[in-house]
Amino acid sequence: MAPAPTIKESAAGLYRTHDGLGPWPYRGKVAAVGIGHSPTARRWDGTPDTAIGAQTIAAIRTAIKDAGVDASEVDLLVMDCKTTAGGSPWPVGESVPKEVVEQFISSSNPLDGVAQLSPQWLLLNLPELSGVKLVILATECISMVLAASAEAVGRGVGTTCVAVKAWHNLPGRYGVRGATAESVQTGNAKYGVHGYGVAGTNCFGIATQFRRYLHKYGKTREMMAPFVVNSRDNGLLFPEGYWAQHSPTPITIDDYVHARPIAEPANLLDNDLPIHAAAAYVITTSERAIDLRHRPAYVLGHAGTGVVDGESYTGVAPRSTMQTLEEAEDLAAATARRVYESAQVTAADLAFENCYDGFSFLHPFHIEGFGYAGIRPGEALDLYQTDISISGPHPVSPSGGNIGGGRTRWWSHTDSIQQIQLRAGKRQITQPATVGLSGGFTQDWNNFIVWSQTPDGP
């Protein structure tokens, strides 16, 4: 019997969050080779086959098969144990259905595979991953998981890595749980955005920044419409996406302009839809990648923003009760500097971008920070008025992002890898997909990866 793998409780030491670190030492020596998605659902229906553990197992098996590796070759697993989507905890005092418990090999925690994932539970229920020697626990989202995976493989910690992230979504209103469900805010909550009488409105802070953005640069909310419409169009070309699977209907400019207000100037279509799904990726060395099933998507570099303190990795705290527009812009620009320095590319080298858009207003801040298509601060909405489609000269979010596929944060990475591999199907951009960018999530806490068709880059 193989010894139990070592579990490293934090990935904090694997991130590049400072200026001046120079080129990534493993530039072009790491590649993505396999992708796996589970089916998507709006919420968990309570059955064993759709529990988040089952979804995750399916995604991992699909990714391994897609890569063309043997499951026993996987020696590294990078994952996030948290699976809650937008504040969706298991109801206090409620038992896990008996049929769910009986479907899987249980760990010490009855919520494993239902409202969280532990590496112990995952490996118990994936016996074919017999070669895993190390598990690294990342945090928050797939961008953190993938960046840690690339760095770990680059350092030689593992040679064949499965990077996995899942989001469960239980019945109940999005985000309206705990303190946000109370009529009176107490403790530290009263000093944040929820203390302003907007309990449960998660987009309030970003909406406030964007209202300032519109005033500062003389833009209008309606100028966001082409981006949101384009994102849904691209998302409908993503077979694994929520809207493509469950409501394959485009939206119009008029739909956007007249959508239900949520937090001025944000409306319903500016907010992503929480869903229930899992995704996995196989990351390996470039030497191993060339012998596998698909063209490698080489990693030229990765970097991001956040605060690393020992084993802790968190977002940059605002100077006051909430982040200002100017703070967001400064952080976005800092992220871009680090990413470009790491990958040794410039904005002019990017054939496409897949920046985070969980709230649509986050996207312009990101692409302005990166200077995509030559834009400067205040010019993203002007770019949106041009041809930003997959057929245009500057494809914007060809994945459709969260707005076009549902709240997962991984559509951008899947699409970027597939664009580089020339297997994005109907989403394949018309110009050569030589170098692309994907990542997220917010300006204060993020990781981005630059992908390339060649290990040497442009």
Side-chain angles (χ1 to χ4, degrees):
M1 183 175 179
T6 300
I7 298 176
K8 182 172 174 52
E9 298 288 339
S10 171
L14 299 173
Y15 300 116
R16 296 167 60 90
T17 59
H18 297 284
D19 291 317
L21 295 179
W24 189 42
Y26 316 109
R27 185 178 188 268
K29 297 179 180 179
V30 177
V33 291
I35 301 168
H37 287 275
S38 74
T40 63
R42 179 71 174 91
R43 293 183 175 90
W44 183 40
D45 62 9
T47 64
D49 291 341
T50 59
I52 200 60
Q55 301 284 68
T56 305
I57 291 169
I60 290 174
R61 286 175 171 161
T62 300
I64 290 171
K65 181 179 180 180
D66 184 59
V69 301
D70 190 279
S72 64
E73 295 181 62
V74 176
D75 55 3
L76 175 63
L77 175 65
V78 183
M79 61 180 291
D80 177 16
C81 295
K82 188 179 80 170
T83 60
T84 181
S88 185
W90 186 257
V92 176
E94 186 170 322
S95 298
V96 176
K98 181 181 178 182
E99 60 270 25
V100 176
V101 175
E102 293 175 345
Q103 176 104 350
F104 306 102
I105 302 174
S106 299
S107 69
S108 59
N109 190 322
L111 294 181
D112 256 342
V114 175
Q116 69 163 51
L117 287 171
S118 72
Q120 294 86 353
W121 185 94
L122 208 51
L123 292 173
L124 281 171
N125 289 279
L126 280 164
E128 63 265 41
L129 296 184
S130 56
V132 173
K133 296 179 175 62
L134 175 65
V135 180
I136 300 174
L137 303 184
T139 185
E140 198 59 35
C141 74
I142 190 62
S143 293
M144 281 60 166
V145 171
L146 279 172
S149 299
E151 184 69 25
V153 171
R155 293 184 186 184
V157 172
T159 57
T160 304
C161 172
V162 165
V164 64
K165 173 64 185 178
W167 295 102
H168 75 258
N169 194 27
L170 305 177
R173 287 186 62 199
Y174 174 76
V176 187
R177 296 173 173 85
T180 61
E182 301 297 327
S183 59
V184 177
Q185 298 296 311
T186 59
N188 291 336
K190 66 185 178 182
Y191 299 109
V193 296
H194 295 302
Y196 302 146
V198 291
T201 308
N202 290 17
C203 68
F204 178 80
I206 305 302
T208 301
Q209 292 173 354
F210 196 66
R211 190 179 186 93
R212 163 68 177 154
Y213 177 97
L214 296 177
H215 172 77
K216 181 176 181 178
Y217 297 113
K219 309 301 181 184
T220 66
R221 181 179 72 87
E222 290 73 17
M223 294 177 73
M224 279 296 296
F227 169 76
V228 176
V229 170
N230 181 68
S231 294
R232 179 64 66 86
D233 287 344
N234 292 344
L236 292 178
L237 301 177
F238 217 129
E240 297 88 353
Y242 176 82
W243 298 108
Q245 289 187 12
H246 300 283
S247 184
T249 304
I251 58 174
T252 66
I253 298 275
D254 191 63
D255 290 333
Y256 175 78
V257 171
H258 295 99
R260 173 164 60 88
I262 301 295
E264 182 62 31
N267 65 35
L268 186 65
L269 295 178
D270 290 308
N271 290 255
D272 56 6
L273 184 75
I275 62 174
H276 183 84
Y281 303 82
V282 176
I283 309 295
T284 189
T285 63
S286 296
E287 292 85 355
R288 180 74 180 96
I290 59 176
D291 295 325
L292 297 177
R293 181 168 294 159
H294 302 293
R295 173 197 296 260
Y298 295 99
V299 178
L300 295 185
H302 71 89
T305 290
V307 178
V308 176
D309 183 7
E311 295 300 295
S312 171
Y313 176 50
T314 57
V316 177
R319 291 190 293 264
S320 187
T321 56
M322 61 184 294
Q323 187 184 90
T324 66
L325 167 64
E326 285 70 24
E327 285 178 284
E329 290 179 320
D330 289 346
L331 290 166
T335 297
R337 286 196 307 271
R338 296 164 192 156
V339 172
Y340 287 147
E341 179 183 43
S342 174
Q344 293 292 284
V345 300
T346 68
D349 295 317
L350 299 179
F352 62 91
E353 64 76 33
N354 270 306
C355 293
Y356 183 65
D357 67 338
F359 301 124
S360 69
F361 301 155
L362 288 165
H363 188 267
F365 301 162
H366 280 308
I367 63 169
E368 288 178 1
F370 279 104
Y372 180 67
I375 62 173
R376 296 174 296 181
E379 296 181 346
L381 273 64
D382 297 321
L383 177 65
Y384 296 161
Q385 311 314 303
T386 68
D387 184 358
I388 59 173
S389 72
I390 56 177
S391 301
H394 302 295
V396 166
S397 194
S399 66
N402 276 20
I403 295 296
R407 186 184 191 269
T408 66
R409 303 178 184 167
W410 58 59
W411 309 118
S412 62
H413 296 297
T414 294
D415 179 77
S416 293
I417 295 167
Q418 290 179 338
Q419 293 286 351
I420 294 296
Q421 294 178 322
L422 304 180
R423 60 178 186 133
K426 293 180 179 179
R427 297 186 323 279
Q428 190 69 47
I429 62 174
T430 55
Q431 63 173 314
T434 51
V435 177
L437 170 76
S438 59
F441 60 121
T442 54
Q443 277 71 39
D444 59 291
W445 197 12
N446 60 64
N447 278 277
F448 285 81
I449 292 177
V450 176
W451 308 93
S452 172
Q453 282 190 359
T454 63
D456 297 327

